[in-house]
Amino acid sequence: MITLTTNDLGSPMNYETFFQTVTKHAPYSYQKKIGSKPWPDLLDIPTGLGKTAAVTVAWLWKRLQEDADTPRRLIYCLPMRVLVEQTHENVLGWIEQATPIFQDTGKIPPRAFLLMGGEVEDDWQLQPEQDVILIGTQDMLLSRALNRGYAMSRAMWPCHFALVNNDCLWVLDETQLMGAGLATTVQLQGFRNSLKVFGPTHTLWMSATLNHNAMNTVDAPPMASRLSLEKEDLESPPLRRRIEAPKRLFHLDLDPAGKDYPARLAELVLEKHRNLSETAISLVVLNQVERAQKVFKRIRNILAKEMPFPVLLVHGRFRPAERRETTRRLLHEIPRSGGIVIATQTVEAGVDLDATLLVTELAPWSSLVQRFGRCNRKGEHEDAMVFWIDLLSGDEKAQKKLAPPYDLDDLAFSRRHLQELNGVSPQEVSSITAPLGEVFHVIRRKDLVELFDTTPDLTGADVDVSRFIREGDDNDVQIFWRSWERSGVDEPPPPDLPAPERDELCAVPVGPARRFLKNKTAWRWDFVDREWSAARGDTGIFPGMVLLLPEETGGYDPELGWTGKTGKGIPLALPQRISRSEDADAVDAATFSKRFIPLRQHCEDTARHAAVLETALAHLAGIPWEEIWYAALWHDAGKAHESFQEMLLAHLDEPERQKRRKTLWAKSDCDYFRNPYCGRNRRRYFRHELASAIALLENEADDLVAYLVACHHGKVRLSIRSQAGETAAKGVIRYARGVWEGDELPACELGGGEIMPRTRLRLGYMEMGLNPETGKSWLERALALRDRFGPFRLAFLETLVRIADWRATIEEERDDR
């Protein structure tokens, strides 16, 4: 336990003082309990009462105290995309306030990173020993936890899979909005318990409206503790004011099926807003983006000449560039000046908005409770009003058209209760629990274990995990726009077309994307064939894809976001050119450095960084550090292959090449992004790590060491097979990833006194069953390791070798040796 002081007299700092220092207000009773007791499983607290601060500040305190049961990575998962930034901004502020306290104790303050569509910060993966907070959407975080990370390279899937499943505290906010993702989070924690992980892991589910039967999945871990408001909390005047905050409820008599619905709603909202104070906020929450866009346009047109107050459109289908400005206005401008916010479900979670007037369409009960929580949030408005619009008043055909994305039965449940209520304060709605929705896809242990293999099938396709993350059309693709010369609609883009910047990626639900692209051509980069391939809505568009549209296809408006309407698209003004050489899958940009690095030096540097990780991660029991170190020393032995050495020297003139051939190199000074000679290995698809792994097996190394070496770029893992279109010299029977049967690696020094003898490579390992010369197949060896360590821990071991390699490369690039 670390002793902290609060003043020059040496008075000890307790958790209550720490909380107040970090947040600038005293904690509620339940917030104090989280900071001073073991982590609960369930946090059953009404919206608007500081759950995010309660958990985050408690984690900061416990990490400061070096609490052995508190993991180093806090993963804060939100169901909605648009306003993850608010949670990120709040967390950054709390970290800033806590930083001097961390520094006074000689500890490194935690850092916070954002993971959401179009915004994926990844510096955190270099420092597994450091305290970090990852804040993201369930799409980005759960896809990584399932080893199929959205919007990231396939080769990086195992690394993020390892880091978000080991030594982690998962916090699931507003779990009643997660749909299929909720069952997945419960199952994942059960799998972590049974399949084992490194370090403490825990999951904390937070919701005030969750039907707890949803937590009873087939592999659910035991739910030991639940924290709710108690008598001491309810006696607190500030908290009681929020719980009893008056919010009078009225039915708004409008026909949502009528063509004039957006116009009439816009006029009514303006009329009611003008009767409020100048700084009042009116919030309108509609269930579909298209309806929100129509109401926004109508209000904007009415106010076009005068614009006496801000009017803001908030939904999840903006590019990050436009969304940042919207978020800034929502979190800073609107609270100061007042105005009207037209929004979709995106404001239901994580938005600290305090409206005087709320107008909402009928929605499932859990969603409505979240919407009510954005009105009179602090209990300071005596005139707060909530108006609801009935979507079930028309005939059956109209109801089915208006209900999506929600189920009619869920809307009917909410309608019955709204008709009986006069107010919707937290106190008045807390006793109503929505019925449990049906979950059609629950991930099982067999599914999770099979997802450990990241090898695509022979067509280049992968297992679709979207059904375990969200229902139906809620899973996204990322779309960007480009302009290029072409003679016909089906002419593909050039291979060196600029790769997308984060700011130009627009997240679009897969359903609307498929409908929009049904008779249009989109393009995706095919990493198997290394070319652009056509994608249509009816022939294979899946969640997680990054799709390119020709500019003239349209679909986006900078003021309205994704419209799904044909028209001119918005390209990025100054895109960066990224090389896509024909061997992009075979060569890694880090191979080409600012200087030549000898093979021995790089292997020694990587082994040294593995030793540093051993010291830094001494708290994690059971890691086979000797094998990690040995794998780090051997990881690039395959670079001694003649074809790889020739590739590193290809950009040099002949005299300089002859001079350089006297040394075996790990890295070259060729400019990979500008020089066309970089990466042109005469052995197409050559993977040096496969050669390294086979050399280890040929020299009777442990299977684990060979596996970790093969995996250190994430491109060779459970299987060894040749690529589509790969060929070898006449008479070569076995070949895979540019390594041919009978290849020889020269003897070389790997550092640390380790010498690789001249080694002939055999590829009997790629065959199924027992080979009389090479013994067990690679697949059998790899599966045995997966079952021995479990998928979470084996992936973590892979990641440690990769991190040691990355750190060595970074150090070498800035080193003047």
Side-chain angles (χ1 to χ4, degrees):
M1 178 71 71
I2 295 175
T3 301
L4 303 171
T5 58
T6 59
N7 54 43
D8 294 337
L9 298 178
S11 299
M13 174 181 284
N14 57 23
Y15 179 63
E16 185 172 353
T17 305
F18 178 80
F19 188 99
Q20 188 153 3
T21 301
V22 170
T23 65
K24 304 305 179 186
H25 62 79
Y28 299 133
S29 177
Y30 91 87
Q31 291 174 326
K32 287 188 284 187
K33 291 174 185 174
I34 295 178
S36 58
K37 293 185 176 181
W39 293 105
D41 297 313
L42 305 174
L43 188 58
D44 188 0
I45 303 293
T47 184
L49 299 184
K51 294 191 292 293
T52 304
V55 171
T56 305
V57 178
W59 179 84
L60 290 170
W61 172 256
K62 291 179 179 183
R63 289 306 309 148
L64 187 65
Q65 298 290 313
E66 299 180 351
D67 177 48
D69 294 325
T70 297
R72 276 166 168 69
R73 281 177 292 284
L74 169 62
I75 301 177
Y76 200 96
C77 180
L78 290 153
M80 301 297 182
R81 172 186 310 98
V82 173
L83 295 167
V84 168
E85 288 103 327
Q86 177 169 357
T87 300
H88 183 238
E89 184 176 317
N90 290 337
V91 168
L92 289 176
W94 297 327
I95 290 175
E96 182 180 1
Q97 296 300 320
T99 292
I101 304 173
F102 274 83
Q103 291 174 337
D104 286 347
T105 62
K107 294 180 66 67
I108 299 175
R111 298 174 65 194
F113 296 87
L114 199 62
L115 283 84
M116 55 188 287
E119 296 283 342
V120 179
E121 302 172 324
D122 54 16
D123 287 353
W124 58 275
Q125 65 195 12
L126 283 168
Q127 306 289 338
E129 73 274 29
Q130 295 299 324
D131 297 341
V132 296
I133 302 176
L134 307 180
I135 304 162
T137 59
Q138 69 185 73
D139 305 79
M140 289 292 154
L141 291 171
L142 288 184
S143 63
R144 281 159 173 74
L146 295 175
N147 209 15
R148 291 297 184 277
Y150 288 173
M152 66 182 299
S153 162
R154 171 197 307 279
M156 286 302 301
W157 288 349
C159 179
H160 284 210
F161 172 73
L163 293 174
V164 302
N165 282 303
N166 292 272
D167 204 3
C168 291
L169 170 64
W170 276 76
V171 177
L172 291 312
D173 199 358
E174 308 301 357
T175 51
Q176 76 284 347
L177 304 177
M178 291 185 67
L182 175 59
T184 299
T185 63
V186 178
Q187 288 290 99
L188 277 169
Q189 186 58 46
F191 298 150
R192 295 182 195 113
N193 292 350
S194 61
L195 293 170
K196 306 304 180 184
V197 294
F198 290 119
T201 64
H202 190 76
T203 300
L204 172 56
W205 291 271
M206 303 198 304
S207 174
T209 59
L210 177 66
N211 185 326
H212 294 107
N213 289 328
M215 312 289 285
N216 297 328
T217 62
V218 62
D219 296 295
M223 299 295 169
S225 60
R226 172 180 171 184
L227 182 58
S228 305
L229 296 181
E230 297 180 354
K231 181 179 178 181
E232 187 178 354
D233 294 289
L234 299 175
E235 291 174 348
S236 165
L239 189 146
R240 191 163 191 82
R241 184 169 60 247
R242 290 183 177 236
I243 292 176
E244 298 176 350
K247 308 173 190 186
R248 291 180 293 159
L249 181 66
F250 304 93
H251 173 244
L252 195 58
D253 189 15
L254 285 176
D255 178 14
K259 292 184 178 179
D260 62 346
Y261 171 59
R264 290 195 61 201
L265 177 57
E267 291 162 3
L268 281 170
V269 169
L270 279 172
E271 176 187 339
K272 296 182 182 301
H273 182 77
R274 284 175 169 138
N275 292 327
L276 302 176
S277 66
E278 289 185 0
T279 59
I281 299 172
S282 293
L283 174 62
V284 182
V285 186
L286 304 175
N287 296 349
Q288 295 181 4
V289 171
E290 185 177 2
R291 291 205 288 266
Q293 290 170 332
K294 288 179 178 179
V295 173
F296 170 77
K297 286 195 291 184
R298 180 64 178 173
I299 291 178
R300 186 183 59 184
N301 291 340
I302 295 173
L303 298 177
K305 295 182 180 179
E306 47 180 311
M307 290 300 289
F309 44 77
V311 181
L312 202 58
L313 176 64
V314 180
H315 62 74
R317 308 305 166 195
F318 282 103
R319 302 184 308 174
E322 287 80 26
R323 188 174 62 237
R324 274 196 300 273
E325 174 59 18
T326 298
T327 301
R328 183 197 65 77
R329 296 185 64 195
L330 181 67
L331 302 184
H332 302 291
E333 179 182 342
I334 291 289
R336 289 196 304 267
S337 63
I340 298 177
V341 178
I342 312 296
T344 60
Q345 301 89 329
T346 55
V347 298
E348 291 177 10
V351 185
D352 191 9
L353 197 64
D354 193 4
T356 304
L357 170 68
L358 169 65
V359 178
T360 176
E361 290 183 330
L362 185 65
W365 186 250
S366 57
S367 294
L368 286 176
V369 171
Q370 295 304 314
R371 297 178 190 187
F372 300 155
R374 314 303 149 192
C375 178
N376 200 13
R377 193 169 178 84
K378 300 176 182 177
E380 297 174 347
H381 309 302
E382 295 298 325
D383 56 345
M385 295 177 290
V386 175
F387 292 85
W388 67 281
I389 301 167
D390 192 357
L391 302 181
L392 302 182
S393 58
D395 58 29
E396 184 177 350
K397 182 178 179 181
Q399 291 180 23
K400 289 182 177 179
K401 182 179 179 180
L402 293 168
Y406 300 123
D407 182 81
L408 284 170
D409 291 340
D410 292 337
L411 297 183
F413 176 88
S414 297
R415 185 174 187 254
R416 289 195 301 272
H417 285 282
L418 289 175
Q419 290 172 334
E420 298 171 354
L421 291 170
N422 296 315
V424 287
S425 68
Q427 182 174 258
E428 291 169 293
V429 302
S430 61
S431 61
I432 302 173
T433 301
L436 182 62
E438 190 170 5
V439 178
F440 294 98
H441 300 288
V442 177
I443 190 167
R444 299 300 302 271
R445 177 170 173 152
K446 179 177 180 290
D447 301 317
L448 187 281
V449 171
E450 289 178 349
L451 285 170
F452 184 75
D453 187 1
T454 53
T455 309
D457 64 25
L458 294 177
T459 69
D462 292 297
V463 176
D464 181 10
V465 298
S466 62
R467 65 190 184 277
F468 302 130
I469 296 174
R470 286 187 189 271
E471 284 89 357
D473 288 354
D474 283 344
N475 296 280
D476 292 341
V477 296
Q478 305 287 327
I479 295 178
F480 69 105
W481 289 260
R482 283 281 183 273
S483 178
W484 68 91
E485 292 185 9
R486 56 192 182 133
S487 57
V489 293
D490 289 328
E491 183 176 340
D496 62 348
L497 194 73
E501 297 283 343
R502 290 175 179 174
D503 274 359
E504 60 179 334
L505 288 170
C506 179
V508 181
V510 69
R514 285 170 175 163
R515 291 191 289 272
F516 178 68
L517 296 171
K518 185 174 183 180
N519 298 312
K520 304 177 182 69
T521 302
W523 301 93
R524 68 180 183 88
W525 182 252
D526 189 325
F527 287 95
V528 175
D529 294 329
R530 289 161 299 284
E531 63 185 13
W532 292 100
S533 62
R536 292 182 180 273
D538 54 355
T539 58
I541 291 179
F542 302 102
M545 280 185 170
V546 178
L547 298 174
L548 163 65
L549 295 185
E551 181 182 343
E552 59 269 24
T553 303
Y556 189 85
D557 181 282
E559 291 188 329
L560 300 176
W562 172 260
T563 63
K565 307 291 185 184
T566 301
K568 193 173 180 64
I570 311 296
L572 189 68
L574 295 172
Q576 300 294 311
R577 295 186 70 81
I578 302 296
S579 170
R580 296 185 187 276
S581 75
E582 68 170 11
D583 295 310
D585 186 50
V587 177
D588 306 284
T591 293
F592 301 95
S593 184
K594 296 178 181 178
R595 57 182 61 83
F596 275 92
I597 306 295
L599 179 58
R600 173 178 175 171
Q601 178 189 329
H602 180 64
C603 290
E604 281 186 330
D605 289 342
T606 303
R608 176 167 46 81
H609 279 282
V612 171
L613 284 170
E614 178 179 5
T615 300
L617 296 174
H619 64 287
L620 300 181
I623 295 180
W625 285 110
E626 183 175 349
E627 287 83 351
I628 297 287
W629 180 87
Y630 202 64
L633 201 59
W634 272 77
H635 78 290
D636 272 357
K639 286 185 176 181
H641 194 285
E642 180 186 6
S643 70
F644 196 92
Q645 291 297 307
E646 288 302 309
M647 179 192 71
L648 294 180
L649 307 178
H651 65 293
L652 303 175
D653 57 31
E654 187 57 32
E656 184 64 20
R657 253 182 287 191
Q658 290 295 338
K659 178 182 175 182
R660 292 285 185 182
R661 284 191 181 114
K662 297 177 183 178
T663 303
L664 290 174
W665 303 100
K667 298 181 183 296
S668 163
D669 67 353
C670 189
D671 189 334
Y672 179 74
F673 295 104
R674 295 185 182 181
N675 193 318
Y677 291 101
C678 293
R680 302 256 179 202
N681 194 317
R682 71 172 186 265
R683 291 279 189 93
R684 196 178 181 192
Y685 307 112
F686 183 83
R687 292 306 315 177
H688 67 275
E689 65 269 29
L690 176 57
S692 303
I694 294 175
L696 276 162
L697 292 178
E698 293 294 288
N699 287 286
E700 300 182 348
D702 182 85
D703 285 353
L704 175 60
V705 177
Y707 175 83
L708 296 179
V709 165
C711 294
H712 83 269
H713 283 290
K715 297 178 181 179
V716 179
R717 297 183 69 245
L718 265 66
S719 65
I720 300 175
R721 70 178 188 221
S722 57
Q723 297 291 91
E726 184 175 358
T727 60
K730 186 177 181 180
V732 175
I733 299 174
R734 302 186 187 100
Y735 56 90
R737 305 310 296 261
V739 180
W740 298 353
E741 179 84 21
D743 278 349
E744 287 193 352
L745 298 181
C748 64
E749 294 184 52
L750 301 175
E754 187 72 14
I755 297 177
M756 177 178 71
R758 186 176 184 86
T759 302
R760 180 176 176 270
L761 304 182
R762 294 177 296 175
L763 285 171
Y765 306 100
M766 66 186 293
E767 296 183 348
M768 299 296 289
L770 191 67
N771 183 285
E773 295 181 355
T774 55
K776 293 182 294 184
S777 71
W778 177 263
L779 178 62
E780 183 179 353
R781 295 167 191 259
L783 293 179
L785 289 169
R786 183 200 65 186
D787 296 340
R788 170 186 163 194
F789 288 97
F792 301 123
R793 292 193 297 181
L794 185 55
F796 193 75
L797 300 183
E798 295 178 43
T799 301
L800 292 176
V801 175
R802 298 182 73 174
I803 290 172
D805 186 21
W806 295 336
R807 289 185 178 185
T809 297
I810 292 170
E811 177 186 70
E812 289 160 356
E813 287 188 346
R814 62 171 179 249
D815 200 341
D816 293 329
R817 286 179 291 185

